[in-house]
Amino acid sequence: MKPRDRLRIAMQKSGRLTEPAQELLARCGLKFRQSRDKLFCFGEGEPVDLLLVRDDDIPGLIAEGVCDLGIVGRNVLREFQLTADSSVPRIEELRPLGFGGCRLSVAMPQEDAYTDPSQLGGLRIATSYPGLLGEWLRENGVEAKVVMLAGSVEIAPRLGTADAICDLVSSGATLNANQLREVAVVMESQAVLAGPATLPTDERGDLAELMLRRLDGVIQVRDSRLVMMQAPRDALDAITRLLPGMPRPTLTQVDGEPGQVVLQALCAGAVSWRQLEEMKKAGARDMLVLPVEKMLA
Ligand code: PRP
Ligand code: ZN
Protein backbone atom coordinates (compact mmCIF):
# COMPACT_ATOMS: atom_id res chain seq x y z
CA MET A 1 0.00 0.00 0.00
CA LYS A 2 1.42 3.41 -0.86
CA PRO A 3 2.17 5.62 2.13
CA ARG A 4 -0.29 8.34 2.97
CA ASP A 5 0.54 11.71 4.45
CA ARG A 6 -3.10 12.57 5.18
CA LEU A 7 -5.09 11.16 8.08
CA ARG A 8 -8.25 9.24 7.21
CA ILE A 9 -11.20 8.95 9.57
CA ALA A 10 -14.04 6.50 8.91
CA MET A 11 -17.59 7.08 10.08
CA GLN A 12 -21.09 5.78 9.44
CA LYS A 13 -22.47 6.91 6.07
CA SER A 14 -26.07 7.21 7.18
CA GLY A 15 -27.45 6.32 10.55
CA ARG A 16 -27.82 7.39 14.15
CA LEU A 17 -24.15 8.29 14.56
CA THR A 18 -23.71 10.25 11.33
CA GLU A 19 -24.94 13.69 12.35
CA PRO A 20 -23.42 13.90 15.86
CA ALA A 21 -20.13 12.52 14.50
CA GLN A 22 -20.01 15.20 11.80
CA GLU A 23 -20.82 17.86 14.35
CA LEU A 24 -18.04 16.62 16.64
CA LEU A 25 -15.47 16.72 13.84
CA ALA A 26 -16.60 20.24 12.89
CA ARG A 27 -16.04 21.31 16.49
CA CYS A 28 -12.53 19.87 16.19
CA GLY A 29 -11.91 22.32 13.38
CA LEU A 30 -12.31 19.92 10.46
CA LYS A 31 -14.07 21.03 7.29
CA PHE A 32 -14.84 18.72 4.40
CA ARG A 33 -15.59 19.24 0.77
CA GLN A 34 -18.51 16.89 0.06
CA SER A 35 -17.55 14.65 -2.86
CA ARG A 36 -20.13 13.71 -5.46
CA ASP A 37 -20.35 10.05 -4.52
CA LYS A 38 -20.26 11.08 -0.86
CA LEU A 39 -18.06 8.16 0.15
CA PHE A 40 -14.87 10.16 0.38
CA CYS A 41 -14.81 13.69 1.74
CA PHE A 42 -11.66 15.70 1.19
CA GLY A 43 -10.60 17.69 4.24
CA GLU A 44 -9.97 21.39 3.74
CA GLY A 45 -7.68 23.19 6.12
CA GLU A 46 -6.27 20.18 7.98
CA PRO A 47 -4.90 17.17 6.04
CA VAL A 48 -7.64 14.93 7.42
CA ASP A 49 -10.09 13.17 5.10
CA LEU A 50 -13.34 11.39 5.85
CA LEU A 51 -14.55 8.02 4.61
CA LEU A 52 -18.31 7.37 4.86
CA VAL A 53 -18.98 3.65 5.16
CA ARG A 54 -21.19 1.01 6.79
CA ASP A 55 -20.56 1.15 10.55
CA ASP A 56 -19.89 -2.60 10.73
CA ASP A 57 -16.98 -2.21 8.30
CA ILE A 58 -15.15 0.47 10.30
CA PRO A 59 -12.97 -1.66 12.64
CA GLY A 60 -11.92 -3.86 9.70
CA LEU A 61 -10.99 -0.84 7.59
CA ILE A 62 -8.77 0.44 10.40
CA ALA A 63 -7.20 -3.00 10.88
CA GLU A 64 -6.41 -3.15 7.15
CA GLY A 65 -4.85 0.30 7.27
CA VAL A 66 -7.40 1.78 4.84
CA CYS A 67 -8.34 4.27 7.59
CA ASP A 68 -6.42 5.50 10.62
CA LEU A 69 -9.26 6.27 13.01
CA GLY A 70 -12.98 5.58 13.14
CA ILE A 71 -16.09 6.78 14.91
CA VAL A 72 -18.14 3.70 15.67
CA GLY A 73 -20.45 2.16 18.26
CA ARG A 74 -18.64 0.40 21.10
CA ASN A 75 -20.83 -2.64 20.31
CA VAL A 76 -19.43 -2.89 16.77
CA LEU A 77 -15.86 -2.44 18.02
CA ARG A 78 -16.21 -5.03 20.81
CA GLU A 79 -17.78 -7.51 18.43
CA PHE A 80 -14.82 -7.05 16.09
CA GLN A 81 -12.35 -7.51 18.95
CA LEU A 82 -14.07 -10.73 19.99
CA THR A 83 -14.39 -12.27 16.54
CA ALA A 84 -11.38 -10.98 14.54
CA ASP A 85 -8.67 -13.44 13.59
CA SER A 86 -5.66 -13.25 15.91
CA SER A 87 -3.44 -12.29 12.95
CA VAL A 88 -5.43 -9.04 12.52
CA PRO A 89 -3.94 -5.94 14.23
CA ARG A 90 -5.70 -4.98 17.45
CA ILE A 91 -8.11 -2.08 17.25
CA GLU A 92 -8.86 -0.27 20.49
CA GLU A 93 -11.26 2.21 21.97
CA LEU A 94 -9.27 5.46 22.21
CA ARG A 95 -12.03 7.69 23.61
CA PRO A 96 -15.70 7.38 24.55
CA LEU A 97 -17.50 10.17 22.68
CA GLY A 98 -20.60 10.66 24.81
CA PHE A 99 -23.30 10.31 22.12
CA GLY A 100 -25.22 7.50 20.41
CA GLY A 101 -26.05 5.84 23.70
CA CYS A 102 -27.85 2.48 23.34
CA ARG A 103 -27.67 -1.05 24.65
CA LEU A 104 -27.32 -4.49 23.19
CA SER A 105 -30.17 -6.48 24.67
CA VAL A 106 -31.93 -9.79 24.51
CA ALA A 107 -35.61 -9.44 23.60
CA MET A 108 -38.44 -11.96 23.46
CA PRO A 109 -42.00 -11.99 22.16
CA GLN A 110 -44.08 -9.87 24.57
CA GLU A 111 -46.25 -12.79 25.64
CA ASP A 112 -43.29 -15.02 26.61
CA ALA A 113 -42.44 -15.24 30.30
CA TYR A 114 -38.93 -14.31 31.44
CA THR A 115 -37.38 -14.11 34.88
CA ASP A 116 -33.69 -15.00 34.40
CA PRO A 117 -31.13 -15.96 31.73
CA SER A 118 -31.49 -19.70 32.38
CA GLN A 119 -34.82 -19.55 30.53
CA LEU A 120 -32.96 -18.87 27.30
CA GLY A 121 -31.42 -22.35 27.50
CA GLY A 122 -32.12 -24.37 24.34
CA LEU A 123 -33.65 -21.39 22.50
CA ARG A 124 -32.59 -20.04 19.11
CA ILE A 125 -31.45 -16.41 19.46
CA ALA A 126 -31.02 -14.31 16.31
CA THR A 127 -28.34 -11.62 16.32
CA SER A 128 -25.76 -9.69 14.30
CA TYR A 129 -23.49 -9.87 17.38
CA PRO A 130 -22.60 -13.55 17.78
CA GLY A 131 -19.36 -12.72 19.61
CA LEU A 132 -20.94 -10.51 22.27
CA LEU A 133 -24.01 -12.70 22.69
CA GLY A 134 -21.87 -15.86 22.88
CA GLU A 135 -19.70 -14.31 25.59
CA TRP A 136 -22.75 -13.22 27.60
CA LEU A 137 -24.37 -16.65 27.29
CA ARG A 138 -21.15 -18.32 28.50
CA GLU A 139 -20.85 -15.91 31.43
CA ASN A 140 -24.41 -16.74 32.40
CA GLY A 141 -23.97 -20.48 31.93
CA VAL A 142 -26.65 -20.64 29.24
CA GLU A 143 -26.53 -22.99 26.29
CA ALA A 144 -28.56 -21.53 23.43
CA LYS A 145 -28.30 -21.64 19.64
CA VAL A 146 -26.98 -18.39 18.19
CA VAL A 147 -28.50 -17.66 14.77
CA MET A 148 -26.37 -15.14 12.86
CA LEU A 149 -28.36 -12.56 10.83
CA ALA A 150 -26.78 -9.54 9.14
CA GLY A 151 -29.92 -7.39 9.40
CA SER A 152 -33.67 -7.27 10.15
CA VAL A 153 -33.02 -9.32 13.26
CA GLU A 154 -36.23 -8.09 14.91
CA ILE A 155 -38.41 -9.94 12.42
CA ALA A 156 -36.91 -13.39 13.15
CA PRO A 157 -39.28 -14.47 15.95
CA ARG A 158 -42.34 -13.66 13.83
CA LEU A 159 -40.88 -15.58 10.89
CA GLY A 160 -40.28 -18.52 13.19
CA THR A 161 -36.52 -18.59 12.50
CA ALA A 162 -35.67 -17.70 16.12
CA ASP A 163 -37.29 -17.70 19.58
CA ALA A 164 -35.57 -14.54 20.79
CA ILE A 165 -33.25 -11.85 19.47
CA CYS A 166 -30.21 -9.95 20.66
CA ASP A 167 -30.02 -6.49 19.07
CA LEU A 168 -29.40 -2.83 19.74
CA VAL A 169 -32.10 -0.93 21.59
CA SER A 170 -32.12 2.84 21.62
CA SER A 171 -35.63 4.27 22.01
CA GLY A 172 -37.25 0.83 22.08
CA ALA A 173 -39.51 1.71 19.13
CA THR A 174 -38.22 -1.13 16.94
CA LEU A 175 -38.91 -3.72 19.65
CA ASN A 176 -42.36 -2.30 20.27
CA ALA A 177 -43.26 -2.29 16.60
CA ASN A 178 -42.36 -5.98 16.49
CA GLN A 179 -44.16 -6.97 19.71
CA LEU A 180 -40.89 -7.76 21.44
CA ARG A 181 -39.90 -7.07 25.03
CA GLU A 182 -36.37 -6.30 26.26
CA VAL A 183 -35.49 -8.90 28.89
CA ALA A 184 -31.74 -8.60 29.54
CA VAL A 185 -28.98 -6.08 28.79
CA VAL A 186 -25.86 -7.68 27.29
CA MET A 187 -23.85 -4.45 27.07
CA GLU A 188 -24.22 -0.68 27.28
CA SER A 189 -22.89 1.14 24.27
CA GLN A 190 -22.13 4.59 22.90
CA ALA A 191 -20.08 6.06 20.08
CA VAL A 192 -16.32 5.76 20.55
CA LEU A 193 -13.20 6.80 18.69
CA ALA A 194 -11.48 3.63 17.54
CA GLY A 195 -7.91 3.29 16.36
CA PRO A 196 -4.93 0.94 16.24
CA ALA A 197 -3.30 0.02 19.56
CA THR A 198 -0.16 1.84 18.34
CA LEU A 199 -0.54 4.95 16.22
CA PRO A 200 1.58 5.25 13.07
CA THR A 201 5.00 6.86 13.68
CA ASP A 202 4.84 9.12 10.62
CA GLU A 203 2.94 12.36 9.98
CA ARG A 204 -0.36 10.54 10.38
CA GLY A 205 0.58 9.65 13.93
CA ASP A 206 1.16 13.35 14.68
CA LEU A 207 -2.17 14.20 13.06
CA ALA A 208 -3.93 11.51 15.10
CA GLU A 209 -2.38 12.96 18.29
CA LEU A 210 -3.58 16.41 17.24
CA MET A 211 -7.09 15.05 16.69
CA LEU A 212 -7.08 13.36 20.11
CA ARG A 213 -6.04 16.61 21.83
CA ARG A 214 -8.76 18.56 20.04
CA LEU A 215 -11.35 15.89 20.81
CA ASP A 216 -10.38 16.00 24.48
CA GLY A 217 -10.75 19.76 24.42
CA VAL A 218 -14.22 19.51 22.92
CA ILE A 219 -15.42 16.59 25.07
CA GLN A 220 -14.14 18.09 28.32
CA VAL A 221 -16.00 21.34 27.85
CA ARG A 222 -19.11 20.03 26.10
CA ASP A 223 -21.19 20.10 29.28
CA SER A 224 -19.14 22.77 31.01
CA ARG A 225 -20.23 26.27 31.86
CA LEU A 226 -18.09 29.24 32.71
CA VAL A 227 -19.62 31.04 35.68
CA MET A 228 -18.67 34.61 36.56
CA MET A 229 -19.94 36.70 39.45
CA GLN A 230 -19.02 39.21 42.09
CA ALA A 231 -19.14 37.95 45.68
CA PRO A 232 -18.12 38.82 49.25
CA ARG A 233 -14.83 37.10 50.08
CA ASP A 234 -16.33 35.53 53.23
CA ALA A 235 -19.11 33.86 51.21
CA LEU A 236 -16.74 32.08 48.82
CA ASP A 237 -16.93 28.67 50.52
CA ALA A 238 -20.71 28.66 50.52
CA ILE A 239 -20.86 29.78 46.89
CA THR A 240 -18.24 27.30 45.62
CA ARG A 241 -20.16 24.45 47.23
CA LEU A 242 -23.17 25.39 45.09
CA LEU A 243 -21.22 25.21 41.82
CA PRO A 244 -21.49 21.91 39.84
CA GLY A 245 -18.34 19.82 40.24
CA MET A 246 -17.07 22.13 43.04
CA PRO A 247 -14.43 23.81 40.83
CA ARG A 248 -11.48 25.80 42.14
CA PRO A 249 -12.41 29.36 41.11
CA THR A 250 -10.07 32.12 39.94
CA LEU A 251 -10.45 35.23 42.08
CA THR A 252 -9.78 38.85 41.19
CA GLN A 253 -9.74 41.65 43.74
CA VAL A 254 -12.30 44.44 43.15
CA ASP A 255 -10.67 47.89 43.26
CA GLY A 256 -11.74 49.93 46.28
CA GLU A 257 -13.83 47.10 47.73
CA PRO A 258 -11.48 44.93 49.84
CA GLY A 259 -14.22 42.47 50.90
CA GLN A 260 -15.39 41.82 47.33
CA VAL A 261 -13.94 39.58 44.63
CA VAL A 262 -14.80 38.68 41.06
CA LEU A 263 -15.05 34.93 40.78
CA GLN A 264 -14.60 32.91 37.62
CA ALA A 265 -15.11 29.14 37.61
CA LEU A 266 -15.32 26.37 35.03
CA CYS A 267 -18.19 24.14 36.17
CA ALA A 268 -18.63 20.51 35.14
CA GLY A 269 -22.28 20.77 34.20
CA ALA A 270 -25.33 22.96 33.77
CA VAL A 271 -26.05 25.63 36.36
CA SER A 272 -29.73 25.87 37.26
CA TRP A 273 -31.78 28.95 38.16
CA ARG A 274 -32.22 27.40 41.60
CA GLN A 275 -28.45 27.24 42.13
CA LEU A 276 -28.03 30.85 40.96
CA GLU A 277 -30.75 32.01 43.34
CA GLU A 278 -29.04 30.19 46.23
CA MET A 279 -25.75 31.87 45.35
CA LYS A 280 -27.48 35.22 45.25
CA LYS A 281 -28.83 34.54 48.74
CA ALA A 282 -25.26 33.77 49.83
CA GLY A 283 -24.24 37.25 48.63
CA ALA A 284 -23.30 36.82 44.97
CA ARG A 285 -24.33 39.36 42.33
CA ASP A 286 -23.89 40.13 38.64
CA MET A 287 -23.86 36.43 37.82
CA LEU A 288 -23.16 35.21 34.29
CA VAL A 289 -23.32 31.62 32.99
CA LEU A 290 -21.57 31.08 29.66
CA PRO A 291 -21.27 28.02 27.41
CA VAL A 292 -17.70 26.93 26.65
CA GLU A 293 -16.61 26.24 23.10
CA LYS A 294 -13.02 25.01 23.29
CA MET A 295 -10.37 24.31 25.88
CA LEU A 296 -6.62 23.83 25.55
CA ALA A 297 -4.79 23.32 28.80
C1 PRP B 1 -30.41 -0.44 15.60
C2 PRP B 1 -31.14 -1.77 15.76
C3 PRP B 1 -32.59 -1.43 15.63
C4 PRP B 1 -32.66 0.02 16.04
C5 PRP B 1 -33.17 0.18 17.43
O1 PRP B 1 -29.98 -0.26 14.32
O2 PRP B 1 -30.71 -2.72 14.81
O3 PRP B 1 -33.02 -1.57 14.31
O4 PRP B 1 -31.34 0.56 15.98
O5 PRP B 1 -33.43 1.51 17.73
P1 PRP B 1 -34.78 1.92 18.52
O6 PRP B 1 -34.77 1.19 19.83
O7 PRP B 1 -34.64 3.41 18.72
O8 PRP B 1 -35.93 1.57 17.66
P2 PRP B 1 -28.86 0.86 13.94
O9 PRP B 1 -29.48 2.21 13.80
O10 PRP B 1 -27.70 0.78 14.87
O11 PRP B 1 -28.41 0.43 12.49
P3 PRP B 1 -27.67 -0.91 12.02
O12 PRP B 1 -27.69 -1.88 13.16
O13 PRP B 1 -28.45 -1.32 10.85
O14 PRP B 1 -26.30 -0.46 11.66
ZN1 ZN C 1 -24.73 -1.45 11.27
Side-chain angles (χ1 to χ4, degrees), residues 263-283:
L263 176 160
Q264 181 178 307
L266 188 65
C267 300
V271 181
S272 67
W273 280 110
R274 180 71 61 91
Q275 285 164 315
L276 285 180
E277 286 149 6
E278 292 287 323
M279 289 182 240
K280 194 173 170 67
K281 260 190 231 159

Side-chain angles (χ1 to χ4, degrees), residues 206-225:
D206 296 341
L207 281 168
E209 300 271 6
L210 175 87
M211 281 309 303
L212 285 171
R213 278 197 301 274
R214 289 192 183 177
L215 265 177
D216 288 339
V218 171
I219 294 167
Q220 268 179 44
V221 299
R222 190 161 40 196
D223 303 313
S224 302
R225 298 290 182 275

Side-chain angles (χ1 to χ4, degrees), residues 18-96:
T18 309
E19 220 185 276
Q22 265 161 347
E23 198 190 320
L24 183 67
L25 294 178
R27 278 174 156 252
C28 289
L30 303 184
K31 280 193 201 75
F32 299 100
R33 196 190 308 151
Q34 198 79 279
S35 75
R36 226 165 298 153
D37 57 9
K38 284 196 183 162
L39 282 179
F40 186 86
C41 304
F42 183 81
E44 297 172 325
E46 306 294 346
V48 179
D49 303 323
L50 204 59
L51 205 63
L52 300 177
V53 294
R54 250 168 53 95
D55 60 344
D56 313 64
D57 293 338
I58 292 173
L61 289 169
I62 302 171
E64 287 164 27
V66 176
C67 300
D68 306 296
L69 300 172
I71 295 177
V72 69
R74 180 181 286 150
N75 50 296
V76 171
L77 177 62
R78 288 278 298 134
E79 179 68 22
F80 179 82
Q81 291 170 332
L82 285 173
T83 52
D85 198 275
S86 58
S87 62
V88 171
R90 265 198 76 74
I91 305 304
E92 312 231 301
E93 175 175 328
L94 303 179
R95 297 287 187 281

Side-chain angles (χ1 to χ4, degrees), residues 12 14-17 54-56 75-76 102 128-129 150-154 167-176:
Q12 193 181 29
S14 59
R16 279 179 304 127
L17 303 185
R54 250 168 53 95
D55 60 344
D56 313 64
N75 50 296
V76 171
C102 61
S128 311
Y129 299 90
S152 305
V153 169
E154 62 276 4
D167 200 8
L168 287 189
V169 184
S170 170
S171 64
T174 304
L175 292 188
N176 252 326

Side-chain angles (χ1 to χ4, degrees), residues 74-75 101-104 185-190:
R74 180 181 286 150
N75 50 296
C102 61
R103 50 207 185 270
L104 182 67
V185 176
V186 170
M187 82 171 282
E188 300 278 352
S189 186
Q190 61 165 291

